[in-house]
Amino acid sequence: MDNGIKNAVKITDKEAQYDEKAKHLLGQKIILAHILARTVKEFKGMKPQDIVSLIEGNPQIGIVPADPGMTNTMEDVESGRITGINTENSEINEGLIRFDIVFYVNMPSKDGEKSVPAQMVINVEAQKDNPEEYKLLNRAIFYVCRLVSSQKERDFVKTDYDGIKKVYSIWVCMNMEVNSINHVHLTQEQLMGDYNWQGKIDMLNIIFIGLSKELPEKRSGYGLHRLLGALLSNVLSVKEKLGIIENEYNISLGREGREEMEIMCNLGQGVFEDGFAQGEARGIALGEEKMIINMYKEGFGIEAIAKISKKKIDEVQFIIDRKE
């Protein structure tokens, strides 16, 4: 096997392992509770520690019906982490989609309320960046629709559409230019007449959490961004990460969480070093690489890119293969 291919496979494998560890850390109940406390209106103002007990550890989902639906999510009792990272839907003539994290959470009950608390379905997705090959909002809409349709014959039957649970699809997007939080949801606009159609207009919710490349300062007003930025950083050391997560947020990840963080840090450093070393060995600067990728996306051929950038054809091919 060509050394370039071997190295590309090596990097890809490390990236896959890094992503898996990152999702495991995001799947810690206390981390999910912090996300809910700052993005879902039903939990705003609550202490994350109080939200943890509302997260369903062992959802009674059962077998996926013929309609698109989610596979079971299970709880790792020892770690308190929501697993079922590879929950997936598969239909004939359709592709396979995988949700990073899916779980049920009980809505906080009102004072004196004794009835069974209402639930909502939460999906959390981790993105290394805002993809350029498609619009992320379109993908998020697809996911949130799947989360609703999958409830048929599981959370509601036949035509009992009032039984559909509210859904949140929360996207944590790294390496953005600025820190941000956006809420995408339905609205009802009266175009003619004075009539208000009843129903759960707040059923579909998409949250985008944009994490900038720079970790925000402490007490900057970006508390959630600092927490998630530290948790998912591939630059900070394990000691630096734990210093922020444990000391500033009073979060204990436990032995397993610490081990996953250490592995993730080592993998992240390895991905960076391997990728940088390959580019450096070929004399390719980061700016040149971005220019080549942009020309390729605009439809320029490999030979034309090589001529314009004054690079060898195999160097251009290397950059494009690594990006893909």
Side-chain angles (χ1 to χ4, degrees), residues 38 80 115 127-128 146 156 164 213 220 232 237 253 265 269 273 285 296 309:
R38 290 168 172 81
S115 59
Q127 284 284 119
K128 288 183 290 187
R146 280 281 193 159
F156 75 97
I164 301 176
K213 299 173 184 177
S220 61
L232 301 173
S237 66
L253 295 178
C265 286
Q269 184 63 26
E273 289 176 350
Y296 179 70
S309 63

Side-chain angles (χ1 to χ4, degrees), residues 34-40 44 168-173 176 178-184 206-212 221-226 228:
H34 272 269
I35 293 174
L36 295 179
R38 290 168 172 81
T39 59
V40 178
K44 286 186 177 179
Y168 271 84
S169 187
I170 303 174
W171 296 71
V172 181
C173 305
M176 302 297 289
V178 295
N179 288 309
S180 63
I181 296 182
N182 288 52
H183 181 198
V184 180
I206 298 170
I207 301 288
F208 288 113
I209 304 174
L211 304 181
S212 70
Y222 292 97
L224 179 60
H225 294 80
R226 182 169 171 81
L228 297 178

Side-chain angles (χ1 to χ4, degrees), residues 46 79 132 138 141 146 162 190 214 225-227 242 248 260 281 291 321 323:
M46 291 184 63
S79 67
E132 297 178 355
N138 295 340
I141 292 172
R146 280 281 193 159
D162 288 348
Q190 293 176 335
E214 299 295 329
H225 294 80
R226 182 169 171 81
L227 171 61
L242 292 175
E248 296 182 20
E260 288 180 337
M291 178 189 70
D321 288 346
K323 177 65 176 177

Side-chain angles (χ1 to χ4, degrees), residues 149-167:
S149 65
S150 69
Q151 295 180 43
K152 193 172 189 304
E153 308 304 332
R154 188 189 69 229
D155 293 321
F156 75 97
V157 295
K158 297 183 179 179
T159 59
D160 182 24
Y161 295 107
D162 288 348
I164 301 176
K165 299 182 187 300
K166 181 186 293 190
V167 167

Side-chain angles (χ1 to χ4, degrees), residues 29 57-58 74-83 256:
K29 279 189 174 183
N58 188 21
M74 302 292 290
E75 179 192 13
D76 184 329
V77 178
E78 292 185 1
S79 67
R81 185 183 68 236
I82 300 296
T83 58
E256 184 180 358

Side-chain angles (χ1 to χ4, degrees), residues 1-12 278:
M1 184 184 292
D2 177 76
N3 286 333
I5 297 177
K6 285 183 178 179
N7 289 333
V9 170
K10 180 181 177 183
I11 292 176
T12 301
Q278 287 190 58

Side-chain angles (χ1 to χ4, degrees), residues 85-132:
I85 299 299
N86 288 329
T87 50
E88 60 195 35
N89 296 324
S90 182
E91 288 290 302
I92 297 175
N93 299 326
E94 290 189 24
L96 183 70
I97 72 168
R98 298 178 184 272
F99 297 111
D100 286 351
I101 304 169
V102 179
F103 60 96
Y104 284 94
V105 62
N106 295 317
M107 296 187 197
S109 59
K110 298 178 182 178
D111 294 338
E113 189 176 67
K114 295 182 179 180
S115 59
V116 177
Q119 290 182 321
M120 64 176 71
V121 182
I122 307 291
N123 162 229
V124 178
E125 296 289 325
Q127 284 284 119
K128 288 183 290 187
D129 51 29
N130 190 8
E132 297 178 355

